[in-house]
Amino acid sequence: MDSVVGHVVAALAVVIAASHAAGAVARRCGQPPVIGQLFAGIALGPSLLGLLPGGLHERLFPDEIQPVLASLAQVALVFFLFAVGYELDLGVLRHRGTVTAVSVTGFALPMALGAAIVLLLPGGFAEVNDGRPVDATFVLYMAAALSVTAVPVLAGILKDQGIARTRPGTIAMAAAGVIDALSWPVLAVVLVGGAGGPVRAWALKAVLLAAYLLVMLLVVRPLLVRWTRRPGIAAAHAVPVAATLALASAWATDALGLHLIFGALLAGAVMPRLPDGTADARILGPFQSVGGLLLPVFFAISGMAVVLGGLHGSDLLILGVIVAAAVVGKVGAGVLAARGARQPWRDALLIGVLLNTRGLTELIVLDVGLRAGVIRPRLYALLVVMALLTTAATGPLIRVLRRPADVPPGPPVERKVPDGRSGPDGAAPVAADAAPGPQGLPRCP
């Protein structure tokens, strides 16, 4: 037992340090940290570390600690997605026609393209998915996998690029939240429908899930509202109650045949908010902190599951089809919906590019599909590469599309010039790509 604990502690130290370092490098290169963190997970897995002599990968991550690391990764997801559900606000649909149009189109068009590529190339997808039948469950899963947009990653990109308060940034962020809210139920249907068994068992599971949803909305939420309105309820009491709710709800949906992320999201959604409709920062903060600290374990587990050596040369064709459908679906949906709402062309293109950000949310969807057996390691690896490519392209495309007025003002940058003078008066113009990165360090070329 002591040996297992020691291995877990050592592995956690390596994972957190490597993920933090790789995330910092990615940010300095103008990319969201999730890109570097996922690359760190791939590097720690059999695709790179496993190729080194001496069996370093097996010694650092032996089989006996894999369940422990996987459990920690799932707990991190529970707390993180509870915070996501707690912050989720569908009220943006009430008075914003553009957001509604972008949300519906940004969800429906990628879904349609995801299903279409599978139906057009069933043999190719069956082969890359190690022979798994191309049935309705698989088609719906691929549709859902191409429909998501990563809200947390998108929020970070908007902040880093200085366009969070612009019209395209506001529309894209609101639409992304709605798109993800629509995608989770579809994924739930995939898991329930893919559970197999007789029709009676499937129907019973659906009824139990519906009953659980009603209990959470009609019983648990009113009780929470009454409890939070009692005088003297401090964060010291509210946070443990919220944590218990998140974990218990996650266990319940897992026991009912769904992934535990659905229970976490639902728990966050039913958690009462402040009178102005916003999430209570005293409750939200601890969940974001704990989830953020442990999420590198999830990235590491996700990256280790990517076995690049198992891919075939013919898989590149399927990868190209997946990436093309993903980009056309999101960018095309954003452009069509935004132009239909009479947004300028540049703003419409920018909205489409922002919706194409997948990152963390896509990784969660892929992890769910891999654990449920809907996708196999080869297709999982291709979809991870798609998520990396589409997310990594967002930052550079934003810099191309945003208007000069969207660039946040900053202090003048001093630079030495050939005659030895320095300062804003004597300095040569500084290119935008050469602007200092975080903590004054230069960005990647």
Side-chain angles (χ1 to χ4, degrees):
M1 181 63 181
D2 290 340
S3 175
V4 173
V5 173
H7 272 109
V8 170
V9 172
L12 284 176
V14 172
V15 166
I16 293 176
S19 298
H20 176 75
V25 171
R27 182 177 290 277
R28 290 167 191 164
C29 291
Q31 294 292 341
V34 64
I35 296 291
Q37 291 169 340
L38 185 57
F39 271 118
I42 295 175
L44 292 174
S47 295
L48 182 57
L49 191 62
L51 301 179
L52 299 180
L56 187 57
H57 172 70
E58 290 75 14
R59 293 171 60 187
L60 186 59
F61 302 103
D63 291 340
E64 56 264 28
I65 74 167
Q66 293 294 334
V68 180
L69 294 178
S71 299
L72 287 173
Q74 298 303 309
V75 171
L77 281 185
V78 168
F79 288 151
F80 176 80
L81 289 171
F82 173 86
V84 171
Y86 191 28
E87 286 187 298
L88 185 63
D89 182 14
L90 298 183
V92 296
L93 288 177
R94 296 174 184 171
H95 306 294
R96 295 187 180 182
T98 303
V99 171
T100 303
V102 171
S103 302
V104 173
T105 311
F107 172 73
L109 183 57
M111 283 270 296
L113 288 178
I117 60 174
V118 175
L119 295 176
L120 290 174
L121 299 170
F125 278 93
E127 198 276 331
V128 79
N129 206 26
D130 296 332
R132 188 196 184 282
V134 178
D135 52 14
T137 298
F138 178 73
V139 173
L140 187 59
Y141 174 82
M142 287 298 297
L146 265 64
S147 71
V148 298
T149 297
V151 174
V153 177
L154 178 58
I157 290 176
L158 292 173
K159 182 179 179 181
D160 290 343
Q161 297 288 337
I163 59 172
R165 297 183 181 276
T166 63
R167 178 179 292 272
T170 302
I171 293 174
M173 189 64 194
V178 178
I179 290 171
D180 280 1
L182 296 174
S183 299
W184 294 122
V186 175
L187 188 59
V189 171
V190 170
L191 294 181
V192 173
V199 176
R200 176 178 295 181
W202 186 92
L204 176 61
K205 185 172 294 186
V207 170
L208 291 175
L209 289 172
Y212 177 70
L213 179 62
L214 290 176
V215 169
M216 290 291 287
L217 294 175
L218 302 180
V219 178
V220 175
R221 178 173 170 78
L223 290 175
L224 287 172
V225 171
R226 292 181 60 185
W227 181 75
T228 55
R229 289 178 179 176
R230 292 173 55 191
I233 298 298
H237 303 294
V239 172
V241 169
T244 302
L245 173 67
L247 293 170
S249 181
W251 169 81
T253 55
D254 183 70
L256 291 174
L258 286 180
H259 197 278
L260 49 79
I261 62 172
F262 297 100
L265 281 166
L266 181 58
V270 302
M271 191 70 189
R273 302 182 178 213
L274 296 175
D276 61 357
T278 61
D280 190 340
R282 299 174 303 170
I283 299 176
L284 185 64
F287 284 92
Q288 291 177 326
S289 299
V290 174
L293 179 64
L294 292 179
L295 271 180
V297 182
F298 171 74
F299 294 130
I301 296 296
S302 300
M304 290 178 193
V306 177
V307 184
L308 298 178
L311 298 179
H312 302 169
S314 58
D315 296 346
L316 294 177
L317 174 61
I318 297 297
L319 174 61
V321 171
I322 292 173
V323 172
V327 173
V328 171
K330 286 295 184 180
V331 177
V335 171
L336 289 174
R339 284 297 296 162
R342 299 183 179 181
Q343 298 296 319
W345 271 107
R346 186 190 294 267
D347 288 359
L349 285 168
L350 187 53
I351 290 170
V353 167
L354 293 173
L355 292 183
N356 199 38
T357 305
R358 286 177 171 85
L360 174 59
T361 307
E362 184 72 30
L363 295 179
I364 295 173
V365 172
L366 300 183
D367 177 75
V368 170
L370 183 65
R371 292 177 180 276
V374 181
I375 57 175
R376 305 289 166 78
R378 281 172 63 191
L379 181 56
Y380 172 84
L382 296 182
L383 290 171
V384 168
V385 172
M386 177 273 292
L388 286 172
L389 291 176
T390 54
T391 305
T394 303
L397 289 175
I398 289 175
R399 289 191 283 272
V400 171
L401 291 172
R402 67 183 180 186
R403 296 167 296 183
D406 293 334
V407 180
V413 179
E414 294 191 0
R415 172 186 288 178
K416 293 288 185 180
V417 291
D419 63 359
R421 292 176 296 158
S422 65
D425 295 333
V430 179
D433 291 341
Q439 301 176 350
L441 295 175
R443 291 186 182 275
C444 290

